[in-house]
Amino acid sequence: MLTRIQRGIARDILVMFGLSLFVMTLMVMLIGVAREALSQGLGVVGVFRLLPYAMPNALSLAVPGTALFSVCCVYGRMSADNEFTTLQSVGVSPITAIWPAIGIATLLSLATVGLINTAFTWGFNGIQHVVLSSVENVAYGVLQRERSFQHGDLSLSVRDVNGRNLVEPVIGIRRPNQESISIEAKSAVLRYNDEEKGLTLSVTDGTATIEGKASFHFPDTFVHTVPLRTEPPYDVLTANPSHMPMSDLPIASSKQSLEIVRRESSIAVETGINILTGRVHEIVGATAMAHHDAVREGRKRLQRLDAEMHRRWASGFTCFALAMVGVPLAIRLKTADTMTTFGIVFLPTLLVYYPIFALTLDMAKDGRIAACGVWIANAVFVLLSIVMMRKTIYSPV
């Protein structure tokens, strides 16, 4: 049961957190997401469709800094008003006043883990869908400004754009078999095809050339759809770990381990057969090397899968690590100027926490350290906060 003092502190932290989170998220969404989307030609409708999918990522980025700002504000003010000195004078330990921050930071960290998982999966896929479905407007916008547009295997240049009509377009298309098609025509119209997830070109009165091998003229309208997404169906053995749901990561790791064992067993059997039959040269042949490469790639992916789970949890608990360092520092600084306290605390965070986190994440993905090494930055900050809190508790403030 929280005491009256703890309830008051928790209320102050939550009020400050809510107001700060609203302002910070609004800035990220409007200045970052909306501005970039408009500059890319998505249009107002596209921006409004994009915002819900971008919200989880914006929140996951804003929550750690907002939590740090909130505890700096509340505990800095309390220290400046000598409230901790008053608590100590009546025999109440400062840890009593710190428990609300610990509890709130823990809950916010768990919520941030969920936000990160949602942003990497539902949010990412939603943004991809919005961008693809808006590619028609983007293409027309770019063509009106620059008279040329390129996306994946499609390149397009025009003399002019008249409404939805492209005047004298020159179209380049590279097929999956690497065969190039060049089309020159009098006019063309672009349209996004949602069923095939591609751009449909309706080209009128033109000439098509297939990589210099053949050429033909068509006076009527020629229709061709260029696929914008060529990703295979979702499979835990091939999907990008960064965009897999957390619930699928353990399953993917287990299946990837079994796949590695299967391939290694196959290599061992083939090597034995080659030795027994005297085909020693095939042990280092192209087929054998391809199998060895597949095993190496499988091991790399297994490392990424293991690191990805730790990455999401460690990223979420950034909120806890930052808040725990912010509390004793704000108390020690003993100033009601929240921006000064926040700046003094946040600068070391930028210079120390995030570089360590980025470095350990890269090392974990490459297998140079264990996957749990992603937690090093969090551990350093939590240990540092414990040392500072002990000094705060046992030394006068």
Side-chain angles (χ1 to χ4, degrees):
M1 181 68 69
L2 295 176
T3 64
R4 181 177 296 181
I5 293 175
Q6 290 174 328
R7 287 198 298 269
I9 294 172
R11 183 178 60 252
D12 291 345
I13 293 175
L14 290 174
V15 169
M16 184 59 65
F17 173 80
L19 293 174
S20 304
L21 183 64
F22 175 77
V23 173
M24 189 173 293
T25 305
L26 190 64
M27 291 175 60
V28 171
M29 297 296 287
L30 294 181
I31 298 177
V33 178
R35 182 179 177 183
E36 179 64 21
L38 288 172
S39 67
Q40 294 298 322
L42 260 65
V44 177
V45 175
V47 170
F48 276 104
R49 292 177 57 205
L50 189 71
L51 289 181
Y53 299 109
M55 183 67 73
N57 188 48
L59 286 172
S60 67
L61 294 174
V63 166
T66 306
L68 176 60
F69 177 79
S70 302
V71 298
C72 286
C73 178
V74 173
Y75 287 96
R77 178 192 56 77
M78 290 179 63
S79 183
D81 293 342
N82 294 315
E83 293 184 25
F84 288 101
T85 303
T86 303
L87 289 174
Q88 289 174 320
S89 67
V90 296
V92 178
S93 173
I95 192 65
T96 303
I98 295 174
W99 274 116
I102 297 175
I104 291 173
T106 302
L107 293 176
L108 289 176
S109 296
L110 292 172
T112 305
V113 173
L115 285 171
I116 291 172
N117 186 54
T118 302
F120 284 6
T121 53
W122 176 80
F124 175 80
N125 292 326
I127 289 173
Q128 291 289 96
H129 176 72
V130 171
V131 171
L132 283 178
S133 60
S134 303
V135 71
E136 177 184 334
N137 293 330
V138 173
Y140 274 104
V142 173
L143 287 170
Q144 286 177 342
R145 293 194 308 269
E146 304 175 9
R147 298 293 187 267
S148 63
F149 173 77
Q150 185 167 358
H151 185 95
D153 296 330
L154 172 69
S155 61
L156 178 62
S157 60
V158 298
R159 185 175 66 82
D160 195 10
V161 179
N162 184 11
R164 310 302 288 180
N165 188 47
L166 306 178
V167 181
E168 296 184 11
V170 177
I171 305 166
I173 302 171
R174 180 169 290 278
R175 290 180 173 177
N177 60 4
Q178 303 302 312
E179 194 176 60
S180 297
I181 300 176
S182 177
I183 302 174
E184 297 183 11
K186 286 188 176 181
S187 65
V189 176
L190 286 177
R191 181 175 55 85
Y192 176 70
N193 190 324
D194 189 55
E195 293 182 0
E196 299 186 29
K197 297 295 185 293
L199 267 180
T200 297
L201 295 163
S202 299
V203 188
T204 304
D205 192 6
T207 301
T209 303
I210 303 176
E211 208 171 86
K213 298 178 181 178
S215 180
F216 63 92
H217 176 75
F218 52 92
D220 51 358
T221 300
F222 172 75
V223 179
H224 180 74
T225 299
V226 180
L228 299 176
R229 293 187 71 175
T230 57
E231 295 180 3
Y234 179 80
D235 184 355
V236 294
L237 278 176
T238 57
N240 187 340
S242 296
H243 304 303
M244 293 177 64
M246 289 177 63
S247 58
D248 285 354
L249 291 175
I251 300 172
S253 295
S254 177
K255 288 190 174 182
Q256 190 68 62
S257 298
L258 292 175
E259 180 68 11
I260 291 171
V261 172
R262 186 188 68 79
R263 288 183 178 275
E264 288 177 336
S265 300
S266 177
I267 291 173
V269 170
E270 290 180 3
T271 302
I273 292 174
N274 288 330
I275 292 174
L276 290 175
T277 56
R279 294 177 297 180
V280 181
H281 63 281
E282 291 191 11
I283 296 177
V284 292
T287 302
M289 290 299 100
H291 290 324
H292 284 288
D293 290 341
V295 170
R296 281 194 292 269
E297 291 301 318
R299 288 174 178 164
K300 288 181 180 179
R301 187 169 186 274
L302 182 60
Q303 291 163 357
R304 286 201 62 191
L305 287 167
D306 293 339
E308 185 62 29
M309 179 66 80
H310 287 280
R311 170 198 179 187
R312 297 191 191 181
W313 280 98
S315 296
F317 274 80
T318 297
C319 179
F320 181 83
L322 301 190
M324 290 303 95
V325 169
V327 170
L329 279 177
I331 295 173
R332 284 289 171 182
L333 288 173
K334 211 170 185 180
T335 175
D337 186 352
T338 57
M339 295 309 298
T340 299
T341 305
F342 179 70
I344 293 173
V345 175
F346 197 63
L347 183 59
T349 300
L350 290 176
L351 297 178
V352 178
Y353 180 88
Y354 286 108
I356 293 176
F357 184 83
L359 177 63
T360 54
L361 177 60
D362 287 340
M363 294 176 70
K365 286 182 177 181
D366 294 341
R368 288 176 285 171
I369 61 174
C372 60
V374 175
W375 289 90
I376 290 176
N378 297 61
V380 169
F381 269 60
V382 171
L383 290 174
L384 183 61
S385 70
I386 292 173
V387 172
M388 291 189 295
M389 284 184 185
R390 283 180 58 85
K391 294 183 66 175
T392 299
I393 295 169
Y394 296 110
S395 302
V397 294

